[in-house]
Amino acid sequence: MERFFAERPNEGETIRITGDDAKHLAKVLRIAVGAPVELCDGCDNVCLGEIIAVSNDEVLAKAGDWQPSGTEPAHFINLLQCLPKAGKMETITQKCVELGVCAIQPVLSERCVALPTRDFEKKRLRYARVAREAAKQSKRGIVPAVLPLCHLKELCFADFDTVLLAYEEERETTLRETLRQGVGKRIALIIGPEGGFAPDEAARLVAKGAVPVSLGPRILRTETAGPAMLAQVLYEVSP
Ligand code: SAM
């Protein structure tokens, strides 16, 4: 059964589904009154609802008993992704949402080839739609946010217990060793663009508290590195 994200009302139990989801329910799934529907409030709670009204613009459902979705990781992991060349950010977003990322922060660094045009906000909204679809498909309990673009220099690590910098020049410390020394609940993963990190960029990030780690002897594409690192961290920290 497909999962639909919808705002949980402050009181009462009628859930309103609007926009593309309403159209999808009404015109594609042709859902009927009385049919069951899986609802998620985006705050890691789900319930089995019952459709009570259907139109192309709005579908109403009566909420059942809410319970924890049970699909969210215990760690909150943000991916701080330096802008890759066109078309890759959608794939990175989709795969990392399926894997369990908490939020994605697009970052502009020195060697980013794809420099943001004025309408980066339009692209961010597209990435946010990709995140929402991937969250529905993978039955996430939240819709991971795609945050506004920021410069590498502006990154603030105050919200994280552990910041891991995937650094292609790191030869000593591996991701596994670092994780085995213990990490906090709120983790940031920093991935460079196709051109990697300039040495002074990496040095500045380390000075701010990032731990440079190697992802192994092979050089991964930027669109591979984020999902791969996220999967390895989640594997290592999950009970
Ligand atoms: N231009 C770099 C080079 O030729 O060495 C490669 C950069 S790689 C395509 C893009 C990003 O993926 C890197 O900046 C880093 O964040 C991450 N990455 C890829 N392979 C890695 C590895 N073996 N260890 C650590 N980070 C890696």
Side-chain angles (χ1 to χ4, degrees), residues 166-168 191-197 213-216 218-220 222 225:
Y167 188 34
E168 62 277 13
I191 303 291
E194 288 84 354
F197 288 108
V213 295
S214 167
L215 299 181
R218 292 172 295 285
I219 293 296
L220 309 179
T222 186

Side-chain angles (χ1 to χ4, degrees), residues 21 34 67 118 125-126 137 139-140 142 146 168 171 177 188 193 197 202 204 210:
D21 282 348
Q67 51 208 328
R118 267 189 318 285
L125 292 174
R126 187 168 73 241
Q137 175 275 322
K139 294 202 177 285
R140 290 289 303 268
I142 66 163
V146 177
E168 62 277 13
R171 297 283 179 272
E177 285 160 6
F197 288 108
R204 264 203 305 275

Side-chain angles (χ1 to χ4, degrees), residues 79 81 164-179 188-192 197 211-233:
L79 176 75
Q81 174 69 48
L164 301 173
L165 167 65
Y167 188 34
E168 62 277 13
E169 300 304 330
E170 176 57 40
R171 297 283 179 272
E172 306 296 318
T173 313
T174 65
L175 176 59
R176 179 202 298 258
E177 285 160 6
T178 308
L179 293 175
L189 309 179
I190 311 177
I191 303 291
F197 288 108
V211 177
V213 295
S214 167
L215 299 181
R218 292 172 295 285
I219 293 296
L220 309 179
R221 289 176 182 273
T222 186
E223 64 269 30
T224 310
M229 187 177 191
L230 175 61
Q232 291 174 46
V233 171

